[in-house]
Amino acid sequence: MTGNFSDNTDNINDENAFAKLSVWSEEYEKTSGHKPLALVHSYGCQQNVSDGEKIKGMLSKIGYGFTDDVNEAQFILYNTCAVRENAEDRVFGNLGDLKHLKENDPELVIGVCGCMAQQKHIAEKIKKTYRQVDLVFGTFAYNDMYKMLWEVISRRRRIFNLSENHVDINEDFLQLRDDRIKAFVPIMYGCNNFCTYCIVPYVRGRERSRKPEAVISEVTSLVKKGYKEITLLGQNVNSYSYGFPQLLRDLDMIEGDFRIRFMSSHPKDASRELIDVILDGKKICRHLHLPVQAGSDRILKLMNRRYTVEDYLGIINYAREKDPEFSFTTDLIVGFPGETYEEFCQTKELIKKVKYDNIYSFVYSRRSGTKAAEMENNISDKQKGLWLRELLLEQREVTSVWLSRFVGKTLRVLPTGEGRTGSDYLTGKCDEDIIVEVKADKKYIGKFIQVRITKAMNWALVGELVEE
Ligand code: SAM
Ligand code: SF4
Ligand code: F3S
């Protein structure tokens, strides 16, 4: 989708860039009294957050420190998301705010990478309109970051790298994780599904799976370091090429006090075997995020999702026959081109039928280059907004009743921070992926606790600590 646009990386191949940057940062530290500081901000999904952590690892190897303050940074890098228009607008807004910083400090390096940067029209817009940006590179170019950064710093050239060459998965990386309790572990990259509304296959390329040995060894080492929750990532983990249920079984055997989650699971490939592995697992959470997107077969076909509502309910019913309380969450889109109010109401009906513990719902956003972008978009933004509200009201009603199945039961919860209910409360999630607020001392943050559930709200459960 990028063509060759003004990609100007042909002669950027200084093999010594790593060493030169390391010397440069040492010099910088000597003269200024501190390491050069980078601000790396990742937008979008967990996959992107994980990429951002690897970028930070690469920068730390050449001597960068990190900051969250744009005024302190010598390198500002926005690792962007292109999934909806509002995600892109936010980045453009933030880039606009950096203009004056660059005017005051021409040495400041400003970069844009990730999914947005992989698109030709975005790179063109940045080139013309956001002249404060020095470095633009897409999702295939991370391994060349040292060469590009050195070119910008040493020759003050603006670099645009929209390469689409699939490079081998690099297993030799250092990841600077922001979280000490939960870790994201990608098991595969890219997507082959081409849902008609979605930009991801265009900006992330084809599916590539990591070897099971690499995943198992990473998870083992994270557990040894004390991580309590491992989330396996992939746009469709069910097409992990070495077999996803087997990978889950292997990870379930790792010794230690931790739990395993994963996302996302495309319903067309979600098998009964997968449900069985979840139910048999000791470490695998009894929860499945199964994005349905719409409740009408006609819209699902137009979306190229390749399942019907009946197929979808088949997998839900299989799980619920084995465990009637099995927890499901989903993603939904309202206002896909051509969707009628009646079809939208079928999505609401599906929420009632499945009884989700939570939904992530989005207003359809036209993504240039996708198939749906060529379909007639007949629904106004106002209308889509009203449908979204209606959907959320339905979900709240369903969820507040459905969550009450846990009242009186004791659930395992991993507190991750202070609660919303009050300052003496902690918040965390139970294995079923529902937020739980519990009155407990901060010393329990990052430790599994048992919580007796006393109340269900429409967004969370509340409970009391069960002392062991
Ligand atoms: N691969 C995952 C899957 O198929 O379930 C989804 C990944 S996507 C990053 C996350 C969610 O964004 C999708 O499930 C969909 O609901 C939503 N989404 C993707 N493209 C969209 C668009 N053009 N407009 C609105 N929502 C969109
Ligand atoms: Fe997008 Fe569909 Fe791929 Fe998910 S499976 S990333 S929605 S194309
Ligand atoms: Fe993720 Fe957004 Fe890219 S959701 S894969 S960062 S388009």
Side-chain angles (χ1 to χ4, degrees), residues 60 91 98 133 205 213 255 268 344 354 411 451 458:
S60 80
V91 172
L98 298 181
V133 176
E213 307 84 82
E255 300 270 316
K268 77 177 165 55
F344 160 71
V354 176
L411 302 179
V451 177
N458 59 19

XYZ file of all heavy atoms in Angstrom, residues 60 91 98 133 205 213 255 268 344 354 411 451 458:
100
model
N 18.056 2.175 24.925
C 18.856 2.091 26.162
C 20.226 1.485 25.858
O 21.224 1.848 26.488
C 18.111 1.304 27.238
O 18.239 -0.059 27.012
N -2.566 11.922 17.179
C -1.126 12.019 16.905
C -0.825 13.333 16.182
O 0.122 14.047 16.545
C -0.649 10.815 16.064
C 0.791 11.004 15.619
C -0.789 9.535 16.872
N 4.341 20.083 19.082
C 5.810 20.004 19.223
C 6.536 21.048 18.368
O 7.750 21.222 18.503
C 6.311 18.612 18.826
C 5.797 17.442 19.651
C 6.410 16.139 19.145
C 6.145 17.625 21.133
N 9.024 17.164 11.970
C 9.303 15.722 12.119
C 10.518 15.336 11.272
O 10.585 15.641 10.085
C 8.070 14.887 11.708
C 8.385 13.387 11.766
C 6.882 15.217 12.611
N 1.424 -6.222 7.588
C 1.886 -7.295 6.718
C 1.315 -8.659 7.071
O 0.389 -8.771 7.873
N 9.693 -22.473 21.062
C 10.810 -22.459 22.038
C 11.082 -21.032 22.511
O 11.362 -20.799 23.688
C 12.119 -22.986 21.434
C 12.056 -24.327 20.766
C 11.573 -24.260 19.324
O 12.358 -23.973 18.408
O 10.349 -24.478 19.138
N 6.453 -23.925 35.699
C 6.275 -23.825 37.146
C 6.168 -22.367 37.552
O 6.814 -21.518 36.944
C 7.517 -24.389 37.857
C 7.831 -25.825 37.583
C 7.135 -26.737 38.571
O 7.167 -26.406 39.760
O 6.562 -27.757 38.117
N -13.753 -17.428 13.541
C -13.780 -18.439 12.474
C -12.824 -19.591 12.786
O -12.991 -20.688 12.270
C -13.458 -17.803 11.107
C -11.998 -17.500 10.868
C -11.765 -16.952 9.474
C -10.416 -16.302 9.312
N -9.233 -17.079 9.634
N -28.532 -3.329 13.142
C -27.888 -2.877 14.381
C -28.587 -3.528 15.587
O -27.925 -3.968 16.533
C -27.940 -1.339 14.458
C -27.753 -0.819 15.842
C -26.522 -0.889 16.466
C -28.833 -0.270 16.545
C -26.351 -0.432 17.768
C -28.675 0.189 17.835
C -27.427 0.106 18.449
N -25.667 -13.689 24.398
C -24.374 -14.202 24.864
C -24.133 -13.849 26.322
O -23.539 -14.615 27.060
C -23.217 -13.652 23.990
C -21.870 -14.103 24.536
C -23.377 -14.097 22.549
N -13.238 -15.331 44.479
C -12.482 -15.324 43.230
C -11.028 -14.963 43.497
O -10.725 -14.223 44.443
C -13.069 -14.299 42.247
C -14.541 -14.453 41.848
C -14.946 -13.326 40.899
C -14.778 -15.800 41.184
N -10.772 -13.107 47.026
C -11.732 -12.046 47.342
C -13.150 -12.625 47.315
O -13.543 -13.267 46.337
C -11.628 -10.898 46.305
C -12.667 -9.822 46.582
C -10.223 -10.285 46.310
N -22.263 -2.401 37.157
C -22.312 -2.710 35.721
C -20.929 -2.649 35.069
O -20.781 -2.949 33.897
C -23.332 -1.841 34.978
C -23.031 -0.373 35.121
O -21.923 0.012 35.458
N -24.030 0.457 34.849
